[in-house]
Amino acid sequence: MNATVVLEHVTKAHGQMVAVNDVSLSMKSGEFFSILGPSGSGKTTILRMIAGLDVPDSGTIMIQQRVVNADPPHVRPVNMVFQHYALFPHMNVFDNIAFGLRMRPEAGRNIRQAVERMVALVRLDGKSQRFPGQLSGGEQQRVALARALVNRPVVVLLDEPLAALDQQLRQEMQGELKRLQQEVNATFICVTHQQDEALTLSDRIAVMHAGTLLQVGTPQEVYDQPASSTVARFIGLSNSLSGTMTRLENNVCWIEHEAFPTLMARYPSGAAAHGPVTVMVRPERLHISLDVPDKGYDNTLPAVVHHIMFHGNEMAYQFRLRNEAVWTARVPIGETRRAQLAIGQAVYLQWAVHEGLALVP
């Protein structure tokens, strides 16, 4: 693998708290790599160690096959975009972008040309003389990106880059970030706690929890094949039901629960063949039957409509199960039969064996 950034058994503690615990990762050249996790998971500490702002207590960090543990930030081929952009308020757009170049004697007379190219790339034409206070949040972020990219770094580090934007603008800027990354062909490493952001932007995702790396994979792998129930709960919404595995055959397991019929679900190969498991089913994978269970489904749970929510392009239905658990189903507007559903109505929730996943709790 053509890896640009490699972490090998990296550990970092802040006092008595271990922020990053024996993490090994590699980021490929030219990929958009996201580190996803809740607050306190260690993701920002990893970013700071790659940038040189923090030093690992143990382990090795390499950039372009060079060990950089002892290298200060300014000699690493890395630039960082901070969550709140850190623009100089007394400098206009042009000077903010040019700041890093002016710190490099070799830039010489090419500064204007390089800055103008970046202004065009981030679509800020005609705004070079404006100050940060005269720009929208999305425009300020574009300036921060241009300032990071103008030095042509090998790696661009993004610390919660869209967190300061409202939801609509955040969605718009997701497309802009991906476009910029593809145009400059740099390795982007993005830290975020926004699941939709990581799933939309990333070529691969690393999921962190409490300083530990839980899983690395493509967005589809992490979403459809989570390595644990912790990953499944953090990536998207999952319905869950705990039970006991009684049989395992060809990576399909049978789960018994005192309140429900036997359930069937996919089960990772190599895992223990008996014991407690949690069945996870994504809301969009559930089929709703109204009067009698439909044929062709491996699993059926009786339920009662608890709540109905309109989400523009889909309907979200909440159902209460016999054991008082609440499950959610999402149905595209074009497929919904919402006129036939009412609060308190009895239904059946169904899914095929391949649409559910059994995981060790």
Side-chain angles (χ1 to χ4, degrees):
M1 180 178 63
N2 185 17
T4 297
V5 179
V6 176
L7 282 70
E8 293 182 345
H9 302 290
V10 169
T11 295
K12 177 66 178 179
H14 300 302
Q16 298 299 313
M17 185 192 74
V18 179
V20 175
N21 186 16
D22 193 27
V23 168
S24 295
L25 277 173
S26 60
M27 293 80 166
K28 301 175 185 177
S29 175
E31 81 171 331
F32 200 116
F33 190 97
S34 289
I35 305 174
L36 177 66
S39 298
S41 62
K43 56 189 187 298
T44 298
T45 300
I46 289 176
L47 205 71
R48 290 177 58 85
M49 287 190 290
I50 296 172
L53 301 175
D54 283 341
V55 179
D57 296 330
S58 62
T60 301
I61 298 176
M62 292 183 286
I63 302 177
Q64 291 186 308
Q65 300 181 337
R66 170 187 167 84
V67 177
V68 297
N69 287 40
D71 290 354
H74 69 274
V75 304
R76 302 188 185 198
V78 168
N79 266 346
M80 190 164 179
V81 178
F82 295 92
Q83 181 175 343
H84 297 289
Y85 316 136
L87 300 177
F88 299 111
H90 62 287
M91 293 185 183
N92 61 25
V93 169
F94 185 97
D95 290 334
N96 262 286
I97 297 173
F99 181 81
L101 286 176
R102 287 171 175 156
M103 298 295 102
R104 299 168 54 189
E106 67 272 19
R109 298 179 180 179
N110 297 324
I111 290 179
R112 176 165 295 278
Q113 181 181 358
V115 172
E116 289 176 349
R117 184 172 63 251
M118 279 296 121
V119 168
L121 183 66
V122 298
R123 299 176 181 175
L124 285 174
D125 303 85
K127 298 182 179 181
S128 294
Q129 300 308 308
R130 295 190 184 182
F131 290 86
Q134 299 172 309
L135 302 175
S136 68
E139 290 170 337
Q140 290 181 39
Q141 197 224 38
R142 292 172 192 230
V143 176
L145 284 166
R147 185 176 62 183
L149 294 171
V150 73
N151 284 324
R152 296 189 176 184
V154 173
V155 180
V156 178
L157 305 175
L158 305 159
D159 183 13
E160 300 278 5
L162 308 180
L165 306 179
D166 61 49
Q167 183 175 357
Q168 182 175 350
L169 188 53
R170 190 166 67 240
Q171 291 174 344
E172 293 174 3
M173 287 306 299
Q174 286 176 3
E176 288 296 294
L177 265 180
K178 191 65 177 177
R179 177 186 66 84
L180 286 170
Q181 188 263 335
Q182 291 172 342
E183 289 199 26
V184 301
N185 196 34
T187 299
F188 275 35
I189 303 174
C190 178
V191 155
T192 181
H193 67 276
Q194 297 286 346
Q195 305 159 21
D196 62 329
E197 189 175 299
L199 292 171
T200 300
L201 291 171
S202 309
D203 297 308
R204 288 189 302 144
I205 299 170
V207 183
M208 297 284 298
H209 180 75
T212 301
L213 177 64
L214 299 183
Q215 185 173 2
V216 180
T218 67
Q220 185 171 354
E221 288 170 345
V222 173
Y223 186 83
D224 287 334
Q225 303 171 43
S228 67
S229 56
T230 302
V231 175
R233 290 189 181 97
F234 190 73
I235 303 291
L237 178 64
S238 283
N239 300 300
S240 64
L241 188 66
S242 297
T244 302
M245 187 198 312
T246 59
R247 178 183 168 193
L248 177 62
E249 184 177 322
N250 296 326
N251 293 336
V252 172
C253 69
W254 282 253
I255 303 103
E256 298 292 342
H257 188 285
E258 60 182 12
F260 302 107
T262 299
L263 302 176
M264 298 171 64
R266 292 179 293 130
Y267 192 64
S269 60
H274 296 281
V277 293
T278 298
V279 180
M280 317 289 292
V281 187
R282 298 293 187 185
E284 66 274 12
R285 305 289 165 81
L286 284 175
H287 172 77
I288 306 168
S289 296
L290 301 181
D291 300 315
V292 296
D294 289 341
K295 296 180 179 180
Y297 292 93
D298 304 290
N299 299 284
T300 299
L301 293 180
V304 174
V305 179
H306 177 64
H307 193 47
I308 301 174
M309 296 166 285
F310 175 71
H311 287 297
N313 64 338
E314 67 179 14
M315 297 294 295
Y317 300 100
Q318 287 188 339
F319 304 91
R320 191 171 293 280
L321 306 183
R322 285 178 182 170
N323 66 342
E324 298 301 314
V326 175
W327 277 33
T328 300
R330 289 175 176 166
V331 183
I333 288 296
E335 300 175 15
T336 184
R337 293 179 285 182
R338 55 179 165 165
Q340 297 176 311
L341 287 181
I343 304 297
Q345 182 177 358
V347 300
Y348 296 97
L349 303 180
Q350 297 183 275
W351 68 97
V353 62
H354 66 273
E355 294 173 322
L357 184 65
L359 297 167
V360 177

